[in-house]
Amino acid sequence: MNNKDLVRTAMTRLFVDRDLGALGDYWDPGYIQHNPRMPNGLDFFRQIIPALKPDFRYEPGLVMEDGEFVMIHGRYTGWTEKPAIGVDIFRVKNGRLVEHWDVIQEEVPAAQATSGQPMFPIA
């Protein structure tokens, strides 16, 4: 499996299927987190995934790969008060997600955007 498919599968299993087994299959136990509100390691996921509200939804979008770095564009609904669009950036080593960065912002509907264009999905 290439890194792009690995990240899409890992994110789908963890955030769409809420399958904690994905952590053992795809994440490195020494996972390094660059989001300032999340700790290193996997315990955070083991706590937050089962606690997600029933209406939480993650929609994966465009995935781009550059060697060991993979970016996935997605919509998070129910993670925060309003839907958010994020780009999660992972470093993949030996088939494991070893490091993570993200950029997340509140989704603005196309009708309210100056350009009139939607933030998600990318056509």
Side-chain angles (χ1 to χ4, degrees):
M1 179 180 310
N2 63 38
N3 289 343
K4 182 177 165 179
D5 291 338
L6 185 144
V7 167
R8 183 189 314 272
T9 299
M11 290 292 283
T12 298
R13 279 190 53 198
L14 187 62
F15 287 101
V16 175
D17 303 336
R18 301 184 194 198
D19 176 5
L20 292 177
L23 295 171
D25 292 342
Y26 300 106
W27 271 262
D28 186 83
Y31 187 65
I32 299 168
Q33 178 61 260
H34 294 279
N35 180 316
R37 290 176 290 286
M38 296 179 180
N40 291 329
L42 305 179
D43 288 341
F44 173 79
F45 292 119
R46 290 187 182 106
Q47 294 170 8
I48 197 74
I49 297 300
L52 291 172
K53 296 177 183 176
D55 64 345
F56 170 82
R57 192 170 73 243
Y58 172 71
E59 300 168 72
L62 177 69
V63 184
M64 299 177 73
E65 177 181 353
D66 185 4
E68 65 181 11
F69 292 95
V70 178
M71 295 181 288
I72 184 167
H73 185 237
R75 176 188 281 138
Y76 293 87
T77 304
W79 183 268
T80 57
E81 185 177 318
K82 296 182 180 181
I85 304 301
V87 176
D88 290 281
I89 305 164
F90 294 96
R91 185 167 66 89
V92 180
K93 188 173 182 181
N94 299 321
R96 298 277 186 196
L97 305 180
V98 298
E99 202 163 359
H100 172 261
W101 299 258
D102 60 30
V103 181
I104 300 175
Q105 70 183 83
E106 180 182 312
E107 183 174 16
V108 175
Q112 295 174 12
T114 301
S115 67
Q117 301 301 314
M119 296 174 69
F120 188 88
I122 295 175

